[in-house]
Amino acid sequence: MNRVVLIGRLTRDPELRYTPNGTAVATFTLAVDRPFVNQQGEREADFINIVTWRKLAENCAEYLKKGSLTAVEGRLQIRNYENNEGRRVYVTEVVAENVRFLSGTKGRPEEESVEDPFVADSEEVDIDEDELPF
Amino acid sequence: MNRVVLIGRLTRDPELRYTPNGTAVATFTLAVDRPFVNQQGEREADFINIVTWRKLAENCAEYLKKGSLTAVEGRLQIRNYENNEGRRVYVTEVVAENVRFLSGTKGRPEEESVEDPFVADSEEVDIDEDELPF
Amino acid sequence: MNRVVLIGRLTRDPELRYTPNGTAVATFTLAVDRPFVNQQGEREADFINIVTWRKLAENCAEYLKKGSLTAVEGRLQIRNYENNEGRRVYVTEVVAENVRFLSGTKGRPEEESVEDPFVADSEEVDIDEDELPF
Amino acid sequence: MNRVVLIGRLTRDPELRYTPNGTAVATFTLAVDRPFVNQQGEREADFINIVTWRKLAENCAEYLKKGSLTAVEGRLQIRNYENNEGRRVYVTEVVAENVRFLSGTKGRPEEESVEDPFVADSEEVDIDEDELPF
DNA sequence: TTTT
DNA sequence: TTTT
């Protein structure tokens, strides 16, 4: 079991890319406020990387933008790859399975829910991480 | 909002340390199976770092060990610090607020639930990350 | 372990009451959209009862109103009592521990997060359900 | 958004039934310990109804039994129907989308995870609640 | 490297 | 109506 629910704001517009075999991938970062203030009395945030796939990726790219308030539900994943200096790099991200647009979207009626229609689709196993565009 | 629920097994015994002002901190890594198999037909796992504080840390150190099946509930946090080469390092971890021992514990009756009695305690803001022992 | 996260809208203004010994309790109902449409092509909703205690109850009563978009995190509880006809009645409700006001609040800057400062407080065991005002 | 995660024990063996058009449905009740003790110093539990569909229902019926320790992830639903006295009855239940067998199962290696392969399947909208066998 |  |  591996479940994550976050509410926060996009730190920049989503980036939409495609894998070599044409699958859409959108990535963005959510600023999620911490539940307390630090020793300087400031509220800090965690900056959490989100990845979405297929139709959900396209919807996110279409409707979300920097500053959009967004709820994300998904699974925590730690991906690792060898970078171009031959060093192993670990990337932590939340693979979103359900994204809810809460406010500050582009053009779309606010607060629409968008389910990923492929969330439990067996196609998910076919993504070869070596082919990822990021 | 920032909520994480995981079930997995410890990859090694927990490490218990203390901050300079005496607060207990336990860290361990959970291996959490992915919900699908990869292109080689193998089930991979994510290795997720867990941090617990105070009484909960001491309980985890006392009862958990390598291989313990464990449920963790908490908050996803991305901590960053400057390492000794002057480079900024980002550490992703789940700050556990509730840990349930499911099996394979040391000495304790299995499946006992342990709530962190300080979960929402304002004392939490007093931890100075520069003083962390890891 | 018992964790619930909901996003929905209040079906009416919250009701604020006090137990005989003065503890604040607020109740309201959230309409939470289902993730699919029914056979008539309509999107239905679940109407979920929420209970909050103490300072969080007072904040909810102060800032939420009918129609407010709200995220609730808490614990699912099934309370039962004997009604005045001597019949046992079961009430299912979510005991909120964290409520986030997303939009449509009264007077308050939107999207403020409100943590229940007593979430893990041992005082919670002192509430005698026979004394509940509802 | 509507997400529930529970860990508890079955109060009795699961019941497996079929809708008129042959879809498998399994129901059971989970006893989930409360995170505190009551005024008599006893730990109470909530008894939460779980519903599962299709292959997941058949797996639950096959491997779970009274007393099995089980983790359930799903969605909180309030179903209502008219009973045979013409009175509207409300049933609260968790529609499970992912069930993890933790211990005390029948015959199966413990702690196997079982994903519902139809979790986000559009077929889900085709279930006519008037045809439910319970 | 970050959002309001 | 409930489990360990």
Side-chain angles (χ1 to χ4, degrees), chain A residues 9-116:
Chain A
R9 291 182 181 280
L10 294 236
T11 61
R12 53 177 202 282
D13 292 350
E15 283 186 57
L16 181 64
R17 305 179 188 198
Y18 291 87
T19 64
N21 53 15
T23 306
V25 204
T27 53
F28 54 89
T29 297
L30 265 196
V32 178
D33 282 347
R34 293 199 173 162
F36 51 81
V37 294
N38 67 12
Q39 297 178 317
Q40 286 74 49
E42 310 153 334
R43 184 171 297 272
E44 293 180 87
D46 289 293
F47 297 95
I48 300 175
N49 297 319
I50 313 291
V51 190
T52 70
W53 293 93
R54 290 173 287 263
K55 191 67 194 141
L56 180 56
E58 290 169 341
N59 282 330
C60 288
E62 185 168 358
Y63 298 115
L64 295 177
K65 61 179 196 217
K66 182 176 174 175
S68 300
L69 184 69
T70 308
V72 167
E73 184 196 330
R75 163 175 81 74
L76 182 57
Q77 172 175 269
I78 291 143
R79 194 158 45 86
N80 70 86
Y81 63 93
E82 204 147 319
N83 71 4
N84 37 31
E85 296 137 37
R87 201 209 254 272
R88 190 135 298 265
V89 180
Y90 292 83
V91 180
T92 301
E93 56 206 3
V94 171
V95 183
E97 290 162 5
N98 183 3
V99 174
R100 180 147 181 189
F101 307 155
L102 294 167
S103 72
T105 57
K106 295 187 292 192
R108 187 177 229 255
E110 286 190 9
E111 301 143 24
E112 283 283 310
S113 182
V114 183
E115 301 288 323
D116 182 355

Side-chain angles (χ1 to χ4, degrees), chain D residues 62-76:
Chain D
E62 185 167 356
Y63 297 115
L64 294 177
K65 62 178 195 219
K66 182 175 173 175
S68 299
L69 185 69
T70 308
V72 167
E73 183 195 330
R75 163 174 80 73
L76 181 57

Side-chain angles (χ1 to χ4, degrees), chain B residues 28-43:
Chain B
F28 54 89
T29 298
L30 265 196
V32 178
D33 282 347
R34 293 199 173 163
F36 50 82
V37 295
N38 68 13
Q39 296 177 319
Q40 287 74 49
E42 310 152 335
R43 183 172 299 272

Side-chain angles (χ1 to χ4, degrees), chain A residues 7 9 35 69 71 100 111, chain C residues 7 9 69 71 100 111 115:
Chain A
I7 298 179
R9 291 182 181 280
L69 184 69
R100 180 147 181 189
E111 301 143 24
Chain C
I7 298 179
R9 290 183 181 280
L69 184 69
R100 180 146 180 190
E111 302 144 24
E115 300 288 323

Side-chain angles (χ1 to χ4, degrees), chain D residues 60-109:
Chain D
C60 288
E62 185 167 356
Y63 297 115
L64 294 177
K65 62 178 195 219
K66 182 175 173 175
S68 299
L69 185 69
T70 308
V72 167
E73 183 195 330
R75 163 174 80 73
L76 181 57
Q77 173 176 270
I78 291 144
R79 195 158 43 86
N80 70 86
Y81 63 93
E82 204 147 319
N83 70 5
N84 36 31
E85 297 137 36
R87 204 208 251 273
R88 189 134 299 264
V89 180
Y90 291 84
V91 181
T92 302
E93 55 206 4
V94 170
V95 183
E97 290 163 4
N98 183 4
V99 174
R100 180 146 180 190
F101 307 155
L102 294 167
S103 74
T105 57
K106 295 187 291 193
R108 187 178 230 253

